[in-house]
């Protein structure tokens, strides 16, 4: 129980974390863009692609959540981060990837596993738009065409072999993320 008598809760999400070399490449792009346009680059270790956001949840559901994630029978896949974009409504610079049936299958299976475990959340779930947030608070007048013109050609491929359950803790310096568990993608790919 917390001080005010509520059961302990955590702000939870499932995500993919890029390998170090790709995170370094994205970090370089984010820092250069923030320097050029303004805004605040994400810290390298925070770069991630959210698969499912669960919001504030009682810690009592963690075992059920682990069971649901373990039931996801998705195969490993490769992602290619090949585009940058700007969302004006939240002034966010993001990196996106080439269409990936493997990613779509993972997100769909995870969503289905959570639904069949009866896991629900109150915060409105945004539509699945796979992205990594590279920088926030870009100036409102940032020219989108100059963002999309930045090349991602030098970035290494992203072999996705596991996904992560993480907790997000709001803080004055921005949300802090802690990984809670990792789930391997083990389904055999049909040839
Ligand atoms: P901050 O909120 O401090 O700006 P953040 O958005 O990264 O940082 P959280 O709000 O805890 O931290 O979100 C954790 C992850 O879940 C992020 O990738 C975020 O984009 C995603 N997320 C948050 N809210 C939703 C939502 N309602 N629907 C879908 N994804 C969400
Ligand atoms: Mg947020």
């Amino acid at each position: 129980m917390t001080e005010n008598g509520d059961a302990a809760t955590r702000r939870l999400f499932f995500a993919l974390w890029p390998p170090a070399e790709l995170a370094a490449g994205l970090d370089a792009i984010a820092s250069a863009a923030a320097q050029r346009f303004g805004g605040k680059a994400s810290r390298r270790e925070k770069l991630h692609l959210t698969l499912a956001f669960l919001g504030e949840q009682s810690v009592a559901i963690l075992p059920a959540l682990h069971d649901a994630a373990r039931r996801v029978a998705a195969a490993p896949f490769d992602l290619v981060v090949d585009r940058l974009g700007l969302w004006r409504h939240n002034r966010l610079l993001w990196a996106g990837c080439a269409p990936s049936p493997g990613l779509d299958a993972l997100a769909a299976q995870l969503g289905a596993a959570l639904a069949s475990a009866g896991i629900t959340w109150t915060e409105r779930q945004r539509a699945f738009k796979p992205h990594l947030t590279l920088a926030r608070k870009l100036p409102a007048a940032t020219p989108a065409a100059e963002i999309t013109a930045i090349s991602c050609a030098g970035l290494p491929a992203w072999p996705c072999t596991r996904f992560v359950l993480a907790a997000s803790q709001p803080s004055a310096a921005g949300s802090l993320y802690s990984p809670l568990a990792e789930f391997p993608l083990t389904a055999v790919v049909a040839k």
Side-chain angles (χ1 to χ4, degrees):
M1 293 286 201
T2 57
E3 306 175 328
N4 54 14
D6 295 325
T9 63
R10 311 285 311 260
R11 186 174 170 90
L12 300 175
F13 63 106
F14 284 99
L16 296 169
W17 245 266
E21 203 193 335
L22 175 58
L26 291 168
D27 185 27
I29 291 176
S31 303
Q35 203 147 41
R36 178 169 159 202
F37 300 106
K40 193 172 177 333
S42 304
R43 293 174 63 87
R44 183 186 301 198
E45 66 277 11
K46 287 184 65 178
L47 296 169
H48 68 279
L49 186 158
T50 296
L51 293 166
F53 173 76
L54 308 183
E56 208 64 41
Q57 295 284 348
S58 163
V59 294
I61 72 151
L62 283 170
L65 216 47
H66 287 215
D67 285 349
R70 274 195 291 265
R71 275 197 297 276
V72 170
F77 54 90
D78 285 346
L79 285 179
V80 179
V81 176
D82 68 349
R83 64 199 72 188
L84 299 183
L86 178 69
W87 283 328
R88 273 198 201 286
H89 67 284
N90 52 8
R91 293 165 50 201
L92 194 144
L93 166 65
W94 52 268
C97 42
S100 164
L103 174 63
D104 293 343
L106 170 60
Q109 281 204 38
L110 181 58
L114 295 172
S116 69
I119 293 160
T120 56
W121 48 91
T122 49
E123 195 168 329
R124 195 175 67 81
Q125 183 74 358
R126 299 195 286 261
F128 182 51
K129 288 189 199 152
H131 68 280
L132 302 100
T133 296
L134 296 190
R136 295 160 194 273
K137 299 185 179 163
L138 270 84
T142 307
E146 291 187 29
I147 295 281
T148 51
I150 297 170
S151 172
C152 293
L155 293 172
W158 180 355
C160 296
T161 56
R162 63 179 66 85
F163 63 100
V164 173
L165 171 63
S168 170
Q169 169 85 48
S171 90
S175 297
L176 303 170
Y177 308 141
S178 334
L180 302 181
E182 270 190 12
F183 304 93
L185 298 172
T186 50
V188 177
V189 191
K191 297 260 179 202

